[in-house]
Amino acid sequence: MTKIRSSALEASALPSPDEESPATSERAMRRRPSHYLDALNSEQREAVETLDGPLLVLAGAGTGKTRVLTTRIGHILSLGRAWPSQILAVTFTNKAAREMKARIGDLIGGVVEGMPWLGTFHAIGVKILRRHAELVDLKPSFTVLDTDDQIRLLKQLLEAENIDEKRWPARALAAMIDGWKNRGLVPKRVPEGESFAFANGKARDLYALYQRRLKELNAADFGDLLLENLRLFQEHQDVLEKYQQRFLFTLVDEYQDSNVAQYLWLRLLAQGNGNICCVGDDDQSIYGWRGAEVDNILRFETDFPGAKIIRLERNYRSTGHILGAASGLIAHNKGRLGKTLRTDAGLGDKVAVEGCWDDEEEARIMGEDIEQLQRQGHSLSEIAILVRASFQMRAFEDRFITLGLPYRVVGGPRFYERQEIRDATAYFEVTLNPANDLKFERIANTPRRGLGESTLKSLHQLARAQSVPLFQAARLIVETEELKPKPRKALLDLISAFDRWRSLIDTMRHTELAELILDESGYTGMWQAERSPQAQSKLENLKELIRFMEEFDTLAGFLEHVSLVMDAQTEEGADRVNLMTLHSAKGLEFDTVFLPGWDEGLLPHQRSLDEAGRSGLEEERRLAHVGLTRARKHAKITFAQNRRNHGTWQTALPSRFIDELPVDHIAVAEDKGLRGYGPSRFDSAETLFASGFYETPGWRRAQRNRPPGSGASAKPGQITIDGTLVASSTAEGAGLAIGMRVFHQKFGYGRVVQIDGNKLTVDFEKAGQKKVVDSFVERA
DNA sequence: AACTAATACTTTTTT
DNA sequence: AGTATTAGTT
């Protein structure tokens, strides 16, 4: 247990919430240790002071959820009810964990070294698992697999089982296994029936096989971090009791995002003393597709008998109209506990609603709006554009680039998920732990060193026959004549390189060693040789990685954290418009929020509707609600009538969520007209919308009944022939001849240099000389 | 083994 | 339409 001297506790009696006047001195705080409670409203205060027994804090958007959590921890500490090391506080993201640490630090003054059990479910899971690894058939040094490794492993399994990977993709199996793990199901507990969804009922066996392989590799995937913990607690009562006794208080953030496994885990731990406090908002549950169970929060009272529920309904973020619009919208959901958000701020601006012709116009309008805001002195970083799906971002990026408007894409591929980062860490991992087959395989032929499929295959064969790791098999095989001289030499070089790097671990600084490895392996060289702009940024990222390593003392320490704790470094500071998905916007707030793409089929996403029916619709509605409640002062919703889906133009109707917004809180933009696009090609959404008819049931019916092809289905001035462009040809048949000018979809215009049957050599004006198939070019 | 052409896929994504 | 993976070819 971490030692915290009483001085630390004294210090903890001095919480200083941000609003507190600087005049409040440390000494004053000591005299009146409950002063920090004064900064809370009555519900918040109750949530902080109700320490014993199960407590659910239903915290609507912007009601001070994090403040309650951190103050509660501060309160526990200042009352001396527990040492920092006796408090378990779990979050879902590293970001949330970091923020909580920082805020508790502010509260009790200084860095919170003494909160070893504040972290994500997974981080805490790993920590516990390492201590008791042997009890779940792992060694304490087990590695955590990322998604790539997981898929690769499953692919191998499928191959070994002779299952057609075309028909039964490894990804699908991975999704199923993850699903089971999220529900806390070990292979033998998987219901028979569910097995049939994959490879004619082999799914469960494959899952069992996969788990066995993981143990052999001394590895755990993300799901295991919880599932194995669960198993540990269930099978070893003594271990469970130890933790039950240790954790005097348990706090959970974003409880609505928890899955069954997490719920079971929490319940086991909370059975000790029952002091569990979950904070969440059922109206912000948007991760159902990833296994989150809204039911966990809806059922809290039943799951934890005697639970107290406190609602935080006073919103400190948004103005009245925005809150009114959001509340009116979410009120359409049936499965919710129900909260009524209110604010003391004025009504503010109504939520603007505007229709557009297509996504380009949508982007253009927002670009104009943002430029205007900018002229008024609005900070760009206080503006966010929240989209449902990432493909929507493109239109905005295009527009912003032409406008020269600085923007930043938030979310996207995480730092650690980038190819070059994974490759690099794979090198470090193998250096440290040569038995890590998956990582070894990942980089064996990256950069290309002539160790192709066939070599890897013989390695696998040998490894399996001798039941040794691939690296060991490599050692053996280079002693034989098994391989041809070239790959044999390459393999030998690789092995000795790794051996040498390994010998340097103890003597060399870990960051230097890392650079050495990347250098000598030819990995950096590989990217340097590729003179593409991406290669440049990849090299930058590798530098960033080394910089990040500085924060750790050893290579091992770094690797322990890298897969769990590393995320994109969002360069703060620069004044840029934020562009992100609704999902990644949860927990953030901005003065002005733009919500494009409220189209039927996109915001209630069609797929969500198809796959999950009403509950899917409700989740989509929560997503819309999350979007609206991100805004402090201004919100604008737009929808487009035409959206390019996968290549083809499709007409779209305004989202049903627009109909559901209370009329009083929204302002429908005046018809800006279709600006010269043909005369009344579609007398529907926009025109009627703007003339005030949009709220009538008749209008809605008209919208729904409108045949999908009516109105314009293509961009004016653009001739689209739906379906096929039939002209097929052989080179001769199409009348192609040497010297003829042709057009190719990808390469543009060029001149035919040579004809070889149906293959052409064309000298393209932009792309240079290429060999193409005749059917891909047309006469220009 | 490495390139090119054909094909398949396309919601959201903490760890 | 565009990209990412796979299959086929050299």
Side-chain angles (χ1 to χ4, degrees):
Chain A
M1 204 180 289
T2 318
K3 300 275 181 292
I4 295 283
R5 308 241 145 264
S6 56
S7 60
L9 252 204
E10 270 169 38
S12 70
L14 142 119
S16 62
D18 350 340
E19 292 88 334
E20 210 164 55
S21 74
T24 316
S25 76
E26 189 171 332
R27 230 168 288 113
M29 285 310 311
R30 283 229 180 91
R31 256 182 273 123
R32 215 150 59 83
S34 59
H35 181 96
Y36 55 91
L37 294 172
D38 295 349
L40 304 174
N41 68 37
S42 56
E43 308 92 77
Q44 289 175 332
R45 186 170 173 152
E46 194 185 356
V48 165
E49 291 191 305
T50 307
L51 294 182
D52 297 298
L55 171 69
L56 175 64
V57 181
L58 280 176
T63 54
K65 153 181 86 84
T66 311
R67 144 162 288 176
V68 164
L69 273 174
T70 50
T71 313
R72 187 182 163 92
I73 290 175
H75 190 57
I76 291 168
L77 295 175
S78 94
L79 290 181
R81 292 283 307 266
W83 300 106
S85 59
Q86 292 171 316
I87 298 175
L88 172 67
V90 280
T91 64
F92 279 84
T93 65
N94 293 306
K95 203 172 135 209
R98 265 199 307 272
E99 192 185 332
M100 256 172 87
K101 273 199 172 130
R103 286 176 69 164
I104 295 169
D106 288 348
L107 208 62
I108 66 181
V111 189
V112 194
E113 305 259 2
M115 290 277 306
W117 300 104
L118 190 165
T120 64
F121 275 102
H122 294 83
I124 290 171
V126 180
K127 195 163 179 167
I128 293 179
L129 227 45
R130 290 230 189 266
R131 299 185 167 191
H132 313 279
E134 331 74 43
L135 297 179
V136 290
D137 317 309
L138 290 168
K139 283 176 241 152
S141 61
F142 68 84
T143 51
V144 180
L145 295 194
D146 55 46
T147 320
D148 279 3
D149 295 333
Q150 192 187 3
I151 301 282
R152 198 160 331 127
L153 189 53
L154 286 171
K155 267 190 184 149
Q156 287 172 14
L157 276 181
L158 290 177
E159 205 175 332
E161 294 294 300
N162 278 321
I163 292 169
D164 182 12
E165 236 244 275
K166 291 281 107 56
R167 249 190 101 192
W168 308 108
R171 293 193 164 278
L173 182 58
M176 281 180 90
I177 292 178
D178 281 343
W180 288 325
K181 288 187 174 176
N182 284 339
R183 284 158 58 203
L185 296 173
V186 293
K188 59 174 184 255
R189 299 271 304 279
V190 171
E192 184 94 36
E194 292 186 33
S195 202
F196 279 88
F198 192 92
N200 306 319
K202 294 209 188 92
R204 201 171 59 172
D205 297 339
L206 287 166
Y207 177 20
L209 223 53
Y210 170 67
Q211 291 304 97
R212 213 169 309 145
R213 270 302 276 155
L214 286 177
K215 303 297 182 216
E216 281 167 24
L217 292 164
N218 191 29
D221 65 16
F222 281 126
D224 281 344
L225 299 184
L226 268 150
L227 188 69
E228 293 293 346
N229 238 281
L230 216 46
R231 199 157 73 85
L232 171 72
F233 287 162
Q234 281 162 348
E235 291 174 6
H236 302 275
Q237 189 66 26
D238 52 322
V239 178
L240 173 61
E241 277 168 16
K242 213 177 102 190
Y243 285 98
Q244 285 176 337
Q245 282 156 17
R246 158 166 298 170
F247 298 135
L248 300 182
F249 295 94
T250 300
L251 295 92
V252 188
D253 191 18
E254 305 276 18
Y255 187 59
Q256 78 282 351
D257 288 340
S258 61
N259 60 38
V260 173
Q262 287 156 343
Y263 156 72
L264 292 171
W265 185 80
L266 286 170
R267 205 182 55 176
L268 282 174
L269 285 171
Q271 269 165 3
N273 50 43
N275 294 334
I276 182 170
C277 167
C278 297
V279 181
D281 181 2
D282 49 322
D283 292 336
Q284 290 188 61
S285 164
I286 55 176
Y287 284 111
W289 47 274
R290 210 170 43 195
E293 290 276 336
V294 210
D295 271 11
N296 284 352
I297 196 167
L298 301 179
R299 273 195 346 244
F300 190 85
E301 277 176 295
T302 338
D303 291 336
F304 297 95
K308 182 166 180 176
I309 297 188
I310 296 174
R311 285 180 160 77
L312 304 183
E313 299 178 303
R314 203 168 308 174
N315 175 291
Y316 294 99
R317 181 186 295 155
S318 312
T319 48
H321 280 309
I322 292 170
L323 214 52
S327 301
L329 175 64
I330 201 64
H332 285 82
N333 269 7
K334 297 236 167 56
R336 65 191 286 259
L337 293 166
K339 287 183 295 324
T340 316
L341 292 179
R342 51 177 195 281
T343 174
D344 293 336
L347 278 175
D349 289 349
K350 292 189 174 182
V351 174
V353 178
E354 190 172 340
C356 322
W357 168 256
D358 62 11
D359 55 342
E360 277 175 41
E361 193 192 45
E362 200 171 44
R364 202 169 338 120
I365 289 174
M366 289 194 182
E368 283 164 16
D369 286 353
I370 291 171
E371 286 191 317
Q372 176 146 14
L373 288 168
Q374 195 180 20
R375 280 193 292 275
Q376 291 164 5
H378 197 303
S379 139
L380 293 183
S381 54
E382 276 303 333
I383 299 175
I385 296 173
L386 310 182
V387 298
R388 171 67 243 262
S390 41
F391 75 82
Q392 290 174 266
M393 290 186 186
R394 231 196 71 174
F396 294 99
E397 293 196 61
D398 283 354
R399 190 66 197 151
F400 293 166
I401 288 167
T402 52
L403 288 176
L405 201 60
Y407 69 93
R408 136 181 63 215
V409 175
V410 180
R414 300 263 168 299
F415 190 68
Y416 175 71
E417 279 161 18
R418 296 186 190 162
Q419 179 193 7
E420 65 277 17
I421 303 304
R422 289 191 161 173
D423 287 341
T425 47
Y427 269 105
F428 307 152
E429 179 70 41
V430 175
T431 304
L432 215 60
N433 171 23
N436 191 326
D437 282 1
L438 289 157
K439 303 289 183 200
F440 176 76
E441 223 181 326
R442 180 182 183 105
I443 44 79
N445 201 27
T446 313
R448 300 254 144 90
R449 44 173 76 89
L451 299 174
E453 233 177 297
S454 51
T455 313
L456 258 302
K457 209 167 193 170
S458 13
L459 269 185
H460 264 295
Q461 216 170 8
L462 185 62
R464 200 166 316 162
Q466 309 264 315
S467 40
V468 292
L470 286 176
F471 198 93
Q472 189 59 34
R475 278 188 209 284
L476 297 173
I477 209 165
V478 292
E479 300 294 321
T480 69
E481 301 289 319
E482 198 72 40
L483 298 174
K484 295 203 183 99
K486 244 196 238 167
R488 185 175 160 186
K489 170 84 167 49
L491 198 52
L492 190 59
D493 288 348
L494 187 65
I495 294 170
S496 44
F498 270 116
D499 285 341
R500 195 158 34 81
W501 297 329
R502 195 168 312 118
S503 71
L504 292 171
I505 288 176
D506 294 324
T507 48
M508 203 178 216
R509 251 178 76 74
H510 65 294
T511 48
E512 274 174 53
L513 178 59
E515 276 180 283
L516 182 85
I517 292 172
L518 293 181
D519 210 30
E520 289 189 359
S521 63
Y523 192 74
T524 40
M526 177 178 96
W527 292 116
Q528 276 156 1
E530 192 184 309
R531 275 181 302 281
S532 70
Q534 302 108 289
Q536 200 50 47
S537 84
K538 282 176 198 292
L539 288 167
E540 293 290 324
N541 287 334
L542 289 174
K543 275 187 209 152
E544 180 66 35
L545 182 75
I546 305 283
R547 234 172 291 144
F548 185 77
M549 283 176 78
E550 297 277 2
E551 292 175 29
F552 299 85
D553 296 331
T554 63
L555 204 55
F558 164 76
L559 287 173
E560 164 68 18
H561 283 274
V562 75
S563 59
L564 289 175
V565 196
M566 204 165 157
D567 40 34
Q569 323 272 297
T570 38
E571 1 108 41
E572 291 292 321
D575 193 33
R576 293 162 179 275
V577 176
N578 299 283
L579 187 53
M580 67 189 95
T581 63
L582 287 163
H583 284 90
S584 37
K586 198 176 75 165
L588 305 177
E589 57 182 83
F590 305 91
D591 281 341
T592 302
V593 167
F594 289 94
L595 299 160
W598 281 41
D599 303 3
E600 195 63 23
L602 181 58
L603 185 44
H605 199 284
Q606 194 56 50
R607 195 111 148 202
S608 199
L609 261 32
D610 293 346
E611 281 170 13
R614 205 203 69 183
S615 75
L617 174 65
E618 297 211 337
E619 182 153 317
E620 295 289 307
R621 194 178 279 115
R622 291 194 290 267
L623 207 42
H625 170 256
V626 165
L628 266 174
T629 52
R630 296 310 95 194
R632 280 195 282 256
K633 297 179 188 143
H634 314 284
K636 180 171 190 171
I637 294 167
T638 58
F639 58 90
Q641 273 137 43
N642 297 284
R643 206 166 280 282
R644 199 170 10 192
N645 247 6
H646 337 278
T648 50
W649 286 88
Q650 293 189 327
T651 50
L653 299 176
S655 165
R656 70 186 79 184
F657 298 153
I658 290 180
D659 288 346
E660 292 171 2
L661 296 169
V663 217
D664 298 345
H665 296 299
I666 63 174
V668 179
E670 282 302 310
D671 185 17
K672 285 187 183 162
L674 299 167
R675 299 184 197 146
Y677 289 137
S680 66
R681 296 268 295 284
F682 56 109
D683 282 327
S684 49
E686 187 157 5
T687 324
L688 285 171
F689 188 91
S691 49
F693 278 98
Y694 80 99
E695 251 303 317
T696 67
W699 177 80
R700 283 185 229 168
R701 210 174 314 118
Q703 290 305 300
R704 270 168 215 141
N705 295 342
R706 196 163 61 125
S710 77
S713 63
K715 231 179 157 179
Q718 188 179 56
I719 301 158
T720 311
I721 299 162
D722 236 47
T724 40
L725 191 73
V726 203
S728 67
S729 57
T730 63
E732 282 79 9
L736 292 170
I738 289 174
M740 196 168 267
R741 198 172 135 80
V742 293
F743 176 76
H744 185 278
Q745 282 289 327
K746 210 184 218 156
F747 301 121
Y749 290 95
R751 215 162 273 283
V752 179
V753 183
Q754 200 187 326
I755 299 178
D756 182 13
N758 62 346
K759 279 180 203 148
L760 310 175
T761 307
V762 181
D763 194 8
F764 289 103
E765 288 162 19
K766 296 243 169 64
Q769 212 169 76
K770 301 270 177 200
K771 276 201 184 114
V772 294
V773 179
D774 61 358
S775 49
F776 282 85
V777 305
E778 48 190 308
R779 294 176 65 168

